[in-house]
Amino acid sequence: MKSFLSLIISIACIVSIQAQQLKTDLQPVDTKSEVKFTIKNFGLNTNGSLSGLNGTINFNPSNLSAASFRVTLDVNTINTGIDMRDNHLKGEDFFDVAKYPNISFVSTSIKAGNNGYIATGQLTIKGITKNISFPFTAVSQNGGTLFTGSFSINRKDFGVGGSSAVMSNNVDVNLKVFAK
C-alpha cells in the first residue's frame, strides 16, 4: 500500500512538473527584461534601451503552430543616457510619443530554426506596420522562460527621424525578455 501511494504521488508530481513546463500563457516581466538598441551617430555607436514591456506570450516548443507573441513597449521610457537626446527622440521628428506612445510586435508565425526558433510578425512603430522575421532562443529559467533574439530595422521605414548625413538608417535591436 505504501509503495502504491508513493507511485501515485510520484505520478502526480511528474504531471504537475510537465504542466508547468508546458504552460503557454506567459506574461513578460519588465524588470527582468532588456530591450536595447544601437545606432551609429557621427560614426560612433549610440546605445539605448526601452522598457514598459507588456503583453502575452504563448510558447510551447511542442506546439509551435499555437505559439504567439503580442507585446508592447512604452516609448516614453526611451533611455540613451542623455536626457536632452531622450526628450528629442520623444518628439514629433522621431517617435512622436504624444501620438504613438507604444511600439508593438504581434507574431504571425513561430517556427523551428537553426539553434532555436524564427519569429515572424508585424512590428508597429509610429503607426507604421512592417513585417519582420528574427531568430530567437527560449530557455527555461527561474520558473519562467528567457527569450533572447536580435534583429535590424531601417528607422526610415517607420518614419523615425528624417534624412541625416551623420546618423545611420540601420538600428540593431537586442532582446532579452523574461516571461513567467
Side-chain angles (χ1 to χ4, degrees), residues 5-21:
L5 185 57
S6 294
L7 176 64
I8 296 296
I9 291 171
S10 296
I11 290 172
C13 287
I14 290 170
V15 169
S16 174
I17 289 169
Q18 286 180 339
Q20 288 174 3
Q21 290 174 341

Side-chain angles (χ1 to χ4, degrees), residues 101-112:
N102 295 308
I103 292 173
S104 68
F105 177 75
V106 177
S107 66
T108 54
S109 73
I110 309 291
K111 298 185 185 222

Side-chain angles (χ1 to χ4, degrees), residues 35-41 44-51 74-91 94-95 160 167 171-172:
V35 178
K36 295 184 175 185
F37 62 89
T38 303
I39 186 169
K40 286 208 181 285
N41 195 18
L44 301 172
N45 283 341
T46 298
N47 300 305
S49 65
L50 292 157
S51 58
D74 180 354
V75 185
N76 277 303
T77 66
I78 197 163
N79 182 359
T80 63
I82 300 173
D83 290 340
M84 195 161 117
R85 177 171 45 208
D86 296 346
N87 290 330
H88 184 65
L89 291 172
K90 292 176 188 179
F94 285 88
F95 287 103
V160 177
M167 183 172 53
V171 180
D172 296 324

Side-chain angles (χ1 to χ4, degrees), residues 146-167:
L146 179 64
F147 299 92
T148 58
S150 62
F151 58 90
S152 295
I153 58 171
N154 185 321
R155 67 179 175 81
K156 291 178 75 176
D157 289 346
F158 296 93
V160 177
S163 295
S164 174
V166 296
M167 183 172 53

Side-chain angles (χ1 to χ4, degrees), residues 58-69:
N58 290 305
F59 185 78
N60 179 342
S62 301
N63 187 9
L64 292 177
S65 63
S68 65
F69 296 95

Side-chain angles (χ1 to χ4, degrees), residues 68-143:
S68 65
F69 296 95
R70 295 185 69 82
V71 293
T72 62
L73 286 167
D74 180 354
V75 185
N76 277 303
T77 66
I78 197 163
N79 182 359
T80 63
I82 300 173
D83 290 340
M84 195 161 117
R85 177 171 45 208
D86 296 346
N87 290 330
H88 184 65
L89 291 172
K90 292 176 188 179
E92 287 181 29
D93 292 342
F94 285 88
F95 287 103
D96 195 3
V97 297
K99 197 172 188 179
Y100 306 103
N102 295 308
I103 292 173
S104 68
F105 177 75
V106 177
S107 66
T108 54
S109 73
I110 309 291
K111 298 185 185 222
N114 295 339
N115 302 319
Y117 308 94
I118 305 288
T120 300
Q122 298 181 323
L123 178 65
T124 302
I125 301 172
K126 273 186 86 172
I128 299 170
T129 301
K130 299 285 183 183
N131 289 320
I132 66 167
S133 291
F134 61 92
F136 73 94
T137 60
V139 177
S140 292
Q141 183 179 85
N142 300 326

